[in-house]
């Protein structure tokens, strides 16, 4: 049997996962990657059946110090309509295959779709993190309580890793050496605020406002915690105009950020696009607007200090008619989808960092 060559750092990091034939001497050192030295995680760890899902694969490290040059995500059966988000400097390839059965979609039944997405040609240094994003729909094949796994292949200039281990039925996911990123299926929220880039209308009874400025009720302002060194943070809040005159959200501020912008998130031709909301966000009389992950949101930029889960932050929201209003933001964990919840295992080893999108 060929002898395996291990560097001192790798010997110290045993047990190791062996990937590919290059793990044999003399180039074995770069084919061996410790679970402690490389991670692929999904930012959003919860999804609902019969609903859209934005998958954000976060690559936390390279391969034993070598830069990442290729990321490939397998889309599991029951997840339909997958489309990748373009990434500057990277080339995208997709594999389209027939599904095991047909699934309902917005445009009728679908029986085939993208089952693998690959980004290649770029270079992500070992000391940096980045995100690779796709959009898909969770079908009715999954019930609340189920877990979906998205195997990820990570290749570097030398060496590679396969984040593809899936626990056996009733098995222990914590024991996996190279776990595939997972998404937990939860029941759809009973209270839904539907938002579009032109207008978001509250469809259920309002919650008690956290603050009120004139006719504007401000409900549940919250922020996402940030990893070390992050320069941006996402902010979210629900606003309701209870009066008869229109108003407009024009700004926000927290002491930790140098500035803030109001952003929209749209999908055009299967590509997600984010852009500042010029002139502020309109608040029509009698309507509500939900700033939430995947839709309208606040982007706090030029962070001077990080945000930690569990703390509160005193800030302000500024309206065209109601003026500047003090608010208190709660800070939810990294990757949280709401102010008081997150998916299982939502904190990744070392840093569950996301460069941008909230």
């Amino acid at each position: 049997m060929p002898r395996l060559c291990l560097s001192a750092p790798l010997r110290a990091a045993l047990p190791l996962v062996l990937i590919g034939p290059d793990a044999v001497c003399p180039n074995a050192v770069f084919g061996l990657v410790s679970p402690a030295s490389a991670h692929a995680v999904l930012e959003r760890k919860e999804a609902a059946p019969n609903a859209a899902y934005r998958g954000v694969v976060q690559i936390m490290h390279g391969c034993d110090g070598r830069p990442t040059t290729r990321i490939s995500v397998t889309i599991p059966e029951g997840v339909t309509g997958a489309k990748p988000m373009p990434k500057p400097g990277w080339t995208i390839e997709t594999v389209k295959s027939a599904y095991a059965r047909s699934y309902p979609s917005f445009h009728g039944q679908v029986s085939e779709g993208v089952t693998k997405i690959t980004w290649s040609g770029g270079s992500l240094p070992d000391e940096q993190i980045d995100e690779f994003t796709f959009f898909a729909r969770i079908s009715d094949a999954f019930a609340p309580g189920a877990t979906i796994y998205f195997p990820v292949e990570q290749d570097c200039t030398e060496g590679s890793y396969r984040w593809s281990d899936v626990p056996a039925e009733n098995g222990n996911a914590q024991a996996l050496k190279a776990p595939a990123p997972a998404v937990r299926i939860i029941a759809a929220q009973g209270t839904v605020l539907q938002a579009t880039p032109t207008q978001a209308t509250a469809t259920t009874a309002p919650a008690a406002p956290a603050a009120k400025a004139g006719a504007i009720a401000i409900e549940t302002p919250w922020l996402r915690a940030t990893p070390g060194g992050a320069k941006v943070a996402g902010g979210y809040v629900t606003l309701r105009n209870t009066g008869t005159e229109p108003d407009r959200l024009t700004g926000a501020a927290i002491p930790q950020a140098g500035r803030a912008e109001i952003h929209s998130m749209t999908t055009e031709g299967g590509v997600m696009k984010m852009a500042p909301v010029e002139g502020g966000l309109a608040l029509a009389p009698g309507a509500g607007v939900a700033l939430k992950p995947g839709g309208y949101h606040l982007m706090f930029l030029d962070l001077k200090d990080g945000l930690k889960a569990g703390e509160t932050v005193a800030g302000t929201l500024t309206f065209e008619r109601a003026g500047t209003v003090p608010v208190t933001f709660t800070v939810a964990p990294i990757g949280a989808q709401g102010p008081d919840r997150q998916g299982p295992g939502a904190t990744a080893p070392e840093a569950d960092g996301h460069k941008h999108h909230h």
Side-chain angles (χ1 to χ4, degrees), residues 15 23 38 57 139 172 194 196 288 331 351:
V57 180
S139 75
N172 181 11
Q194 297 177 331
T196 69
V331 182

Side-chain angles (χ1 to χ4, degrees), residues 319-347:
F319 300 89
E320 187 175 72
R321 181 180 293 271
T324 297
V325 185
V327 296
T328 299
F329 293 93
T330 59
V331 182
I334 292 172
Q337 296 301 297
D340 57 0
R341 64 184 179 87
Q342 67 180 123
T347 301

Side-chain angles (χ1 to χ4, degrees), residues 13-313:
L14 288 173
L16 301 168
V17 179
L18 178 62
I19 300 295
D22 290 340
V24 179
C25 295
N27 297 319
V29 64
F30 302 122
L32 293 161
V33 182
S34 163
S37 67
H39 305 287
V41 298
L42 279 166
E43 180 196 33
R44 300 186 172 203
K45 297 174 175 64
E46 288 183 349
N50 287 314
Y53 174 71
R54 184 168 72 95
V56 181
V57 180
Q58 300 173 331
I59 300 300
M60 313 304 290
H61 298 280
C63 308
D64 194 31
R66 297 305 194 264
T68 299
T69 57
R70 176 182 173 273
I71 293 296
S72 187
V73 181
T74 296
I75 308 300
E77 178 71 25
V79 178
T80 65
K83 295 181 179 180
M85 179 182 287
K87 191 170 186 65
W90 296 74
T91 299
I92 294 178
E93 295 181 5
T94 59
V95 174
K96 193 172 185 179
S97 305
Y99 298 142
R101 69 173 180 86
S102 295
Y103 298 96
S105 76
F106 292 118
H107 306 290
Q109 296 291 112
V110 293
S111 57
E112 64 176 8
V114 171
T115 54
K116 193 168 189 177
I117 301 170
T118 300
W119 292 264
S120 62
S123 181
L124 174 60
D126 175 69
E127 65 274 12
Q128 297 179 14
I129 65 173
D130 207 345
E131 299 176 337
F132 298 80
T133 302
F134 64 91
F135 219 94
R137 180 174 177 80
I138 307 299
S139 75
D140 59 359
F142 303 100
T147 301
I148 310 176
Y149 295 92
F150 292 79
V152 173
E153 299 174 4
Q154 178 183 1
D155 292 334
C156 303
T157 53
E158 292 183 80
S160 58
Y161 211 92
R162 298 296 179 260
W163 304 100
S164 57
D165 289 357
V166 175
E169 187 173 358
N170 299 322
N172 181 11
Q174 300 297 322
L176 300 177
K177 293 182 178 179
V183 174
R184 182 77 169 174
I185 301 302
I186 61 172
Q189 293 292 301
T191 299
V192 179
L193 288 171
Q194 297 177 331
T196 69
T198 54
Q199 173 153 352
T201 303
T203 59
T204 57
K212 195 166 184 180
I216 304 301
I218 301 168
E219 301 168 8
T220 323
W222 65 283
L223 307 165
R224 272 185 180 161
T226 56
K231 296 299 180 184
V232 298
Y236 314 95
V237 64
T238 295
L239 305 172
R240 298 179 188 275
N241 186 346
T242 63
T244 58
E245 298 290 335
D247 206 339
R248 188 175 295 271
L249 176 67
T250 59
I254 57 173
Q256 294 87 341
R259 58 193 177 95
E261 295 178 352
I262 305 167
H263 284 190
S264 66
M265 200 79 172
T266 59
T267 302
E268 298 179 14
V271 177
M272 291 193 69
K273 297 182 178 181
M274 185 183 67
V277 178
E278 301 295 341
L281 183 60
L283 303 172
V289 177
L291 285 77
K292 59 184 180 180
Y296 288 121
H297 59 278
L298 301 171
M299 185 65 71
F300 293 98
L301 307 164
D302 303 331
L303 287 185
K304 294 168 269 192
D305 296 303
L307 304 176
K308 296 182 180 180
E311 67 183 7
T312 58
V313 174

